[in-house]
Amino acid sequence: MATVEEVQAALCRYVDTRAKIESLLERKERVLARAACKTPSYSPAGGSPKKGLRPDRIGDALATVDEIESRLKALLTQQAEQYRFVDGWISRPELEPLEKEILTWRYIVGAKWERIAKTLCTSEGACRYSRPQMFRTHARALEKLAALWDKKPY
């Protein structure tokens, strides 16, 4: 039997990988933007500024982009496996619908507790569950999964 902390760490990996992917995509965008920045012309006749790709930065940028894309490919493959893993555990029939909903918001969507609490409220502002009840339900779901951890999730 696994501990609740081990179960929680395993479920968090999907959201952690998604954050890494988003970070790499932002880095790729910054690298390409830097390579394409405008540079002034140093012509003695006072010509207009040159626009477009900077030849001195193109090679480095392309090498960095290739490295980022190869890391992205590996992370996307890993993320797909992690999704199947997390979804398999959250879909267990032993879990109640509310437990599944809370686990899905937390470990697949990656929502913070405030957003999960708002999601459990209706549009009229009436909350189905209090925060302490939400935390207890989350803990109970993790305990159930810890007890089942040695069994295949799907």
Side-chain angles (χ1 to χ4, degrees):
M1 183 171 135
T3 66
V4 170
E5 291 79 17
E6 290 170 332
V7 172
Q8 195 168 13
L11 294 176
C12 283
R13 288 189 192 114
Y14 173 77
V15 173
D16 294 343
T17 301
R18 188 173 66 212
K20 289 177 188 175
I21 289 169
E22 289 170 4
S23 174
L24 282 174
L25 288 171
E26 289 170 5
R27 181 172 175 225
K28 178 182 172 183
E29 201 172 297
R30 284 192 312 270
V31 167
L32 290 173
R34 272 197 308 260
C37 72
K38 299 174 185 174
T39 57
S41 170
Y42 295 106
S43 75
S48 63
K50 293 182 180 179
K51 299 178 181 177
L53 296 174
R54 289 186 52 177
D56 58 324
R57 293 189 178 179
I58 294 173
D60 292 340
L62 291 177
T64 303
V65 166
D66 284 344
E67 174 193 330
I68 290 170
E69 286 180 348
S70 102
R71 289 175 62 194
L72 279 171
K73 184 178 179 182
L75 282 173
L76 288 169
T77 302
Q78 182 181 357
Q79 185 188 34
E81 293 168 9
Q82 289 169 343
Y83 176 82
R84 285 189 296 276
F85 175 83
V86 172
D87 187 55
W89 281 103
I90 291 175
S91 300
R92 295 293 298 229
E94 295 86 351
L95 296 176
E96 298 171 20
L98 178 62
E99 293 170 337
K100 290 179 182 183
E101 185 177 1
I102 290 171
L103 292 177
T104 298
W105 277 101
R106 186 70 177 165
Y107 300 110
I108 291 182
V109 177
K112 297 191 181 299
W113 289 115
E114 294 79 20
R115 181 172 175 201
I116 298 171
K118 287 179 184 176
T119 302
L120 297 177
C121 294
T122 64
S123 58
E124 296 84 34
C127 290
R128 295 183 286 170
Y129 304 95
S130 66
R131 278 181 176 242
Q133 186 176 4
M134 179 182 65
F135 291 133
R136 282 193 305 272
T137 303
H138 174 257
R140 185 176 58 241
L142 292 179
E143 289 169 1
K144 285 181 183 179
L145 292 180
L148 299 167
W149 204 248
D150 294 332
K151 298 177 184 176
K152 193 172 180 176
Y154 40 84

